[in-house]
Amino acid sequence: MEQRPTGAEERDRKVYRPLRRAGLEVIPDAVPDGTMPFVLGYGAEDMAGGFSHPYGTPQLVKRLKEDWYDFAVSKGLFDHRREFLVQLPQGTRTHRAALRNLHGDERTAPSLRTRVRLLERWDIMGRGAVSAFLGIHSGHPGFAMMALDSSVYVCATTGEVGANVFTVRHPARSENVLRHLEWMARRDDTYLDRELRERIAAWLASR
């Protein structure tokens, strides 16, 4: 009888391997205690810079890669080993399944922060955006990243006319973010995952 892969083996095949191809080495079970589980609700006053490139930009992926790296370094996303946190689907959902969930009504387990290390050869905006849960397709990124100490939050979005990257400094100190998380923790409906609400409530209570 053929032995079925374990959950860890399946996650390695469906999630970790595509990330390695994009130049991110996953460090399992190494998210620091007290890490913010979610960041949302920030306002313009919480922003600490960013950049945008229209889709018609020559060598778009190259420009996005160069600017993201310079931006990440300047804002302090990486530690001395080039490690940071990235938001990934919980369990073994594939990139395609995650996109279906994003644009549909199916409810699945929420995303979790995962610790990664940026390798010497990486392509987050190209191969990563295609197959590693970091976007829609090449040159169309979509990700949420955070410094290990939660001091820097970097987000990429795919807009109607171009790709956008921005940062929020010290999101745990933002009144806007905290107010939104408190609202999420109290809200009880079918559109917000209970597990995520419980993680947010636990984090708020531990502050």
Side-chain angles (χ1 to χ4, degrees):
M1 175 182 291
E2 182 180 356
Q3 186 175 4
R4 297 188 63 177
T6 65
E9 291 171 339
E10 190 176 8
R11 184 162 175 79
D12 181 81
R13 178 174 62 84
K14 290 184 176 180
V15 181
Y16 295 171
R17 288 184 192 175
L19 284 169
R20 282 196 293 271
R21 287 194 292 271
L24 292 179
E25 177 187 359
V26 172
I27 306 170
D29 305 318
V31 175
D33 293 337
T35 296
M36 290 188 73
F38 204 68
V39 176
L40 201 65
Y42 36 80
E45 63 271 29
D46 300 309
M47 303 292 187
F51 65 88
S52 300
H53 289 314
Y55 296 129
T57 301
Q59 296 185 304
L60 174 62
V61 171
K62 182 175 183 292
R63 287 285 305 278
L64 286 171
K65 287 175 58 177
E66 292 173 347
D67 289 351
W68 170 81
Y69 183 80
D70 291 344
F71 188 71
V73 170
S74 69
K75 298 301 179 182
L77 178 65
F78 308 140
D79 76 348
H80 66 286
R81 292 169 57 86
R82 301 210 304 181
E83 294 179 8
F84 58 101
L85 304 172
V86 64
Q87 198 88 0
L88 292 177
Q90 185 173 338
T92 58
R93 271 189 297 160
T94 63
H95 179 61
R96 182 170 297 177
L99 286 178
R100 280 201 306 270
N101 175 248
L102 180 66
H103 298 292
D105 296 327
E106 180 186 0
R107 293 183 69 235
T108 61
S111 298
L112 295 173
R113 303 219 185 273
T114 300
R115 188 168 181 162
V116 297
R117 179 182 299 119
L118 187 69
L119 302 175
E120 288 301 319
R121 298 183 63 181
W122 55 270
D123 186 6
I124 287 173
M125 296 294 186
R127 282 198 307 271
V130 171
S131 61
F133 309 95
L134 302 172
I136 299 174
H137 52 78
S138 182
H140 290 64
F143 54 70
M145 299 171 173
M146 182 175 280
L148 296 180
D149 62 0
S150 298
S151 63
V152 178
Y153 175 79
V154 175
C155 183
T157 62
T158 294
E160 293 184 6
V161 298
N164 313 293
V165 178
F166 62 89
T167 186
V168 175
R169 293 286 291 180
H170 300 292
R173 302 179 190 174
S174 164
E175 293 183 4
N176 294 321
V177 172
L178 293 175
R179 190 181 307 115
H180 193 86
L181 293 184
E182 290 167 355
W183 172 81
M184 290 178 70
R186 292 193 305 267
R187 188 176 179 184
D188 186 11
D189 60 36
T190 58
Y191 296 101
L192 192 60
D193 188 272
R194 185 179 66 179
E195 182 181 344
L196 176 59
R197 285 192 289 108
E198 291 173 350
R199 290 209 310 267
I200 291 172
W203 180 81
L204 289 169
S206 70
R207 296 182 67 247

